[in-house]
Each structure stands twice: as structure tokens, then as C-alpha cells.
Amino acid sequence: MTREITPTDARVRQEQTPSHEMIERLRQDNDRYAAAHDGRRRRAFVLTFGCQQNEADSERIAGMCVECGYALTDNAADADLIMVNTCAIREHAEKKALSVVGQYKHLKAKHPELIIGVCGCMVAQEHRRDELKRSYPYVDFVFGTTVLHRFPSLLYEKLSSGRRRFCADSEDHVVPEGMPVHRESGYRAWVSIMYGCNNFCSYCIVPYVRGRERSRRREEIVAEVRALVADGYRDITLLGQNVNSYAKGCGWDYDFADLLEELDAIEGDYTLRFMTSHPKDASSKLIDVMARGTHIAHHFHLPMQSGSDDVLRRMNRHYDTARYLSIVDELRAKIPDITLTSDIIVGFPGESEEDFEATLTMLRRVRFDMLYSFIYSARRGTPAAVMEAQIPPAVQSARFERLLALQNEIAGQINEGSVGSTVRVLCDGVSKNNEKLYSGRTDGNKIVFFEGTPEDTGRFLLVTVERSEPFALYGSKK
Ligand code: SAH
Ligand code: SF4
Ligand code: F3S
């Protein structure tokens, strides 16, 4: 069902999906099943690996399962349908997903009616689809990230024909709208504003597994955020691999900064965040919108990847350290309380001791509040995987440890500096690691522990910081 072709970019179709006919048929089948089993519905279990985009996709998969008449369970052993949403960013992510799928073999042996589906970035790669087809005969169907909305149709086909389905990605640039969403949280929400990536950083698999950039139209996003605020959502994160290139090439007369400004104008008690910003497209206009905004978190996640200009060039990042620092300086001048976080890759092919030292120098210069650091992992089909001078794992690990040690020291000092201050925290309830304490996140996404009550969950609180660690703050409610 095609709704409308955007005149300025006829390649992008906005589709009202998924197929309501398939959903209806599945729902009727599941209703019949429940009627024959004392009201017990078939259950669906959705397991997610990877980043926030995958979490957002899993919430849509769960939403479609519910529409199709399944009850949700968080126990795989109890499920009639298991969906594994995979990640391909590093080898470790793929190994973990494959090992979990491997463990489901015995569940299928006990419960032959069990349906197992695998989706997400890993299976957007042909060699992984082939591997699942060959070596995991109990996997029933597989589909990539660009055809998420066809999930009910694939499931229905499997159930009605019994045949296994291995669905490749679509090349037709669909921006699916109208997908049901089952949100994990009642107060934090993800909102995808665009899909795919055009950047082809030389180490990264994402452009190959998520396809080209496709932006959702402003009206759809504004309507979604407005509805979330009205429903009491307190923390809304706009998602895209490079939100700064939102609407680029669409011929629309607005960009990401305009979108953010329009969303910020929605009245209510909520915080707006976004991920991820690519330094090559971070604009003064965006920083100005953040500085004058009322709901926009004073947090900027700006992946640097490396502090060596030579490595950045070979990573195909399209900025150098001087440009990176100029964004940081502008952010700090215009938004003095900004929290800065970043991603770093250690051990990229050809990274010399000098290149690595340059990364440490940048850490000392910028003083990030938090870092997400990764050891470089070669991804099949990317240019970096065949570059000369791959760095031995022992050297990678030693550098990784040095990076962590320096960052711990810096983050420890920064957090120590906030002792005595009062921070606004969105409470997430009882801490998963310490049942005696409640936890929450600041505007800058720092974790804070304090003594709370069940009513605090999902609310903004003021907490006075009394003690700090490199990765956490401890305090008391004001
Ligand atoms: N679109 C975002 C990044 C998404 S992937 C951006 O460009 O900022 C999240 C992070 O994973 C990246 O920033 C990078 O630091 C890391 N990463 C990506 N590919 C990797 C690889 N092959 N090995 C190690 N880390 C990788
Ligand atoms: Fe990967 Fe680069 Fe795209 Fe980020 S911008 S998803 S690192 S290719
Ligand atoms: Fe995210 Fe992993 Fe895919 S990081 S975009 S789920 S490869």
C-alpha cells in the first residue's frame, strides 16, 4: 500500500505498513489458539543485540507481535515465537548472536511448534544468511533491517506453507510508517528520524547492512513526539546514524536543526536528546538551537574515533582534529554546562604508537565526560579489513588498557568536581546492581545512585551529589 511519493525524491517511498491483512489473519489464528487453550495465548520472546536503533526496531517487532495476537514473554523457554535481532558491528557481537541462536536448538527439540526468526544487521549479510540456512536448520525465517515491516507477512508465509524463508534486504528505499510499537519503558522513548548511513567509514559495516540514508518526514516525527509527550514520556531520544545529515538530498526546506527546534517548541515536562552526530556535519546552527532550547539535553555525543589526522583520513571520516576541536570549543563557549561523550576505536590498521599517543593527547585536551571505547574489529567487505598492517591483538589490548586508564582518571576528576552540586535526574527505579539504591540519569546521561521510593520511578528529581566515581555519582534527594 503506497501512500504518497515525495515529489522531490521519488526514490523514497513512504509506505503505510505492515500488511494489515496478514496481521488480521495471524490475529485470528492466535485467537483460535487461545480459545482452544483456556485463554493461553501463544507467546513471543524478542531478544536484542546492538545499538539503540536495534532496540527501537525490537520495540516495533514486539508491537507487531502484539498486533498479531501474541502475548509477550521475557523467557525464551516459555515462547512459541522467538525473534533474535542481531548486530554486526564487531565480531564479538556476531559470535554472541550465533551462540544464542545455537542454544535454541534444544528448545525447538522440546517444542517442535516453536518458530525461530533471526533479523537485524548480522543477517543483512549474505554470508551470514547462508550460514544460518546451512548450519541452523531449526531457524525458520530470516530478514534484514530494511524489510522489518514485512515481518508479519514472512511469519504468516512460514506458518501457512511451512517453508523456511531467507529474505534479503530491499533496494527500494522504503521509509515505513504506521508500524505498531510496544515500548519497553513508560517514560523513555526512542524515535527514529532516519534510517541507514551514507558515510562508509572504512571500518564500518553499518552502510552495508542498513542501506542508504532515508529520512522520515517532519510531520510524522512531530506527530510521534507530540503523542509521546502527551502520554507522559519524559526522555525522548531521536535516532539516526548521522542525525546531522537528516533530510539531506530530499529537497525539503528544513534540516536537523530546524526539526529539533520545532520539536523543542512542544510544551511539556520532557527532555529531548539525539544520537549520533557526525563531526563532519555538526553545524553552528545546531549548536545555537541547543543553546537556546528549553527541552534539549545539554549533552553532545560526538564520536571522534581517533586523535590522529592520518588515521582519521584512512578511516574516511572527513574531518581532522583541528575541526573536531573547533566544534568542541564552540559547544563549550555557547553551552558551558555541556556534557561531552565520544566513541574511540583503538588499534585501527596502521595505527602507530605515535598515532595512539595523539589520541591520548586529544583525550587530555577535550576531557570527555564519558567514552565508549572499542578495539578495532575487521568486518568482511569493508576497506579497512584488507588494509595492510593489521595491529596484533596484544598491542590492541595494551593500548586499550592505557586508554581506559587515562579516561578513568579524567572522568574521575570531572565527576569529583560535581560533588556538592544539585543535578536533575530522571529516576529509573531500583538499581539493577544494588538493590538498596535507586538509580537515574542526569541530563548528560550520567548514572546517579540515591535512596528512593517506588513513586520516584519515571519522575524527574533533584539530587545533591555527595560522592563520585569515574562512572557514577552518589547523592541524596533534595
Ligand atoms: N553512526 C555512528 C556510529 C555507530 S557504530 C557514528 O558514526 O558516530 C558505534 C561505534 O562503534 C562507532 O562510533 C565506532 O566507534 C564503533 N565501531 C564501528 N565499527 C567498528 C569496528 N569495525 N571495530 C570496532 N569498533 C567499531
Ligand atoms: Fe558507521 Fe561511519 Fe556510518 Fe557511523 S557514520 S554508522 S561509523 S559508516
Ligand atoms: Fe546498530 Fe549493530 Fe546494526 S551497532 S546499526 S545493531 S550493526
Side-chain angles (χ1 to χ4, degrees), residues 59-102:
E59 291 187 344
R60 289 185 267 261
I61 293 169
M64 288 187 269
C65 287
V66 171
E67 289 280 300
C68 292
Y70 287 90
L72 297 175
T73 171
D74 46 20
N75 179 4
D78 193 31
D80 304 280
L81 167 67
I82 295 180
M83 291 302 307
V84 185
N85 192 6
T86 61
C87 171
I89 202 80
R90 285 168 286 275
E91 194 184 357
H92 182 64
E94 295 197 313
K95 282 202 168 140
K96 254 188 357 204
L98 288 171
S99 125
V100 166
V101 173

Side-chain angles (χ1 to χ4, degrees), residues 159-230:
L159 287 169
S160 51
S161 76
R163 274 204 310 274
R164 301 170 78 203
R165 275 298 307 260
F166 289 78
C167 187
D169 272 287
S170 138
E171 294 290 323
D172 60 2
H173 304 274
V174 167
V175 176
E177 291 293 352
M179 271 200 266
V181 184
H182 179 88
R183 297 190 191 270
E184 284 270 307
S185 159
Y187 53 92
R188 291 189 194 271
W190 313 114
V191 175
S192 298
I193 63 165
M194 59 193 296
Y195 305 99
C197 181
N198 286 356
N199 288 311
F200 290 95
C201 300
S202 61
Y203 50 82
C204 186
I205 197 71
V206 172
Y208 306 88
V209 294
R210 290 229 167 223
R212 297 291 64 73
E213 279 176 3
R214 284 110 49 215
S215 294
R216 291 178 69 197
R217 282 183 308 182
R218 166 155 81 172
E219 307 84 81
E220 306 277 1
I221 299 167
V222 171
E224 184 171 345
V225 172
R226 209 180 274 289
L228 286 167
V229 172

Side-chain angles (χ1 to χ4, degrees), residues 319-339:
Y319 56 84
D320 58 12
T321 49
R323 161 87 180 121
Y324 189 90
L325 286 173
S326 78
I327 306 168
V328 168
D329 291 343
E330 184 177 351
L331 274 166
R332 288 205 165 127
K334 292 180 175 165
I335 314 170
D337 65 344
I338 192 89
T339 299

Side-chain angles (χ1 to χ4, degrees), residues 57-349:
D57 284 349
S58 284
E59 291 187 344
R60 289 185 267 261
I61 293 169
M64 288 187 269
C65 287
V66 171
E67 289 280 300
C68 292
Y70 287 90
L72 297 175
T73 171
D74 46 20
N75 179 4
D78 193 31
D80 304 280
L81 167 67
I82 295 180
M83 291 302 307
V84 185
N85 192 6
T86 61
C87 171
I89 202 80
R90 285 168 286 275
E91 194 184 357
H92 182 64
E94 295 197 313
K95 282 202 168 140
K96 254 188 357 204
L98 288 171
S99 125
V100 166
V101 173
Q103 288 161 26
Y104 292 154
K105 184 180 179 179
H106 75 273
L107 292 183
K108 186 97 165 200
K110 268 195 254 162
H111 177 18
E113 304 281 284
L114 171 65
I115 300 282
I116 300 176
V118 186
C119 61
C121 295
M122 183 181 82
V123 296
Q125 306 167 100
E126 197 178 356
H127 69 279
R128 291 300 187 195
R129 279 198 303 278
D130 288 347
E131 185 178 347
L132 285 167
K133 199 176 196 168
R134 251 194 348 263
S135 312
Y136 298 75
Y138 47 91
V139 168
D140 295 292
F141 65 107
V142 161
F143 58 92
T145 56
T146 60
V147 288
L148 189 69
H149 52 287
R150 298 202 188 134
F151 160 56
S153 306
L154 290 166
L155 177 59
Y156 183 79
E157 271 183 52
K158 164 67 206 171
L159 287 169
S160 51
S161 76
R163 274 204 310 274
R164 301 170 78 203
R165 275 298 307 260
F166 289 78
C167 187
D169 272 287
S170 138
E171 294 290 323
D172 60 2
H173 304 274
V174 167
V175 176
E177 291 293 352
M179 271 200 266
V181 184
H182 179 88
R183 297 190 191 270
E184 284 270 307
S185 159
Y187 53 92
R188 291 189 194 271
W190 313 114
V191 175
S192 298
I193 63 165
M194 59 193 296
Y195 305 99
C197 181
N198 286 356
N199 288 311
F200 290 95
C201 300
S202 61
Y203 50 82
C204 186
I205 197 71
V206 172
Y208 306 88
V209 294
R210 290 229 167 223
R212 297 291 64 73
E213 279 176 3
R214 284 110 49 215
S215 294
R216 291 178 69 197
R217 282 183 308 182
R218 166 155 81 172
E219 307 84 81
E220 306 277 1
I221 299 167
V222 171
E224 184 171 345
V225 172
R226 209 180 274 289
L228 286 167
V229 172
D231 281 351
Y233 279 85
R234 295 282 180 250
D235 189 286
I236 297 167
T237 305
L238 309 176
L239 293 179
Q241 289 300 348
N242 176 13
V243 292
N244 296 330
S245 63
Y246 170 75
K248 242 188 200 175
C250 293
W252 303 337
D253 63 347
Y254 51 87
D255 61 14
F256 179 60
D258 297 320
L259 174 73
L260 195 61
E261 185 148 51
E262 183 170 351
L263 295 173
D264 183 48
I266 297 171
E267 280 184 21
D269 189 15
Y270 67 97
T271 301
L272 262 183
R273 351 176 144 266
F274 53 87
M275 302 197 68
T276 297
S277 275
H278 194 302
K280 85 178 159 68
D281 309 304
S283 66
S284 295
K285 182 177 168 189
L286 172 63
I287 297 175
D288 292 338
V289 166
M290 283 181 81
R292 63 171 181 263
T294 43
H295 300 103
I296 307 167
H298 285 182
H299 174 205
F300 216 92
H301 182 65
L302 192 64
M304 181 172 84
Q305 312 299 0
S306 167
S308 151
D309 287 339
D310 181 52
V311 172
L312 287 173
R313 191 180 46 73
R314 288 186 301 107
M315 284 178 163
N316 196 31
R317 289 288 287 180
H318 295 282
Y319 56 84
D320 58 12
T321 49
R323 161 87 180 121
Y324 189 90
L325 286 173
S326 78
I327 306 168
V328 168
D329 291 343
E330 184 177 351
L331 274 166
R332 288 205 165 127
K334 292 180 175 165
I335 314 170
D337 65 344
I338 192 89
T339 299
L340 272 177
T341 59
S342 197
D343 292 351
I344 301 284
I345 296 178
V346 172
F348 182 78

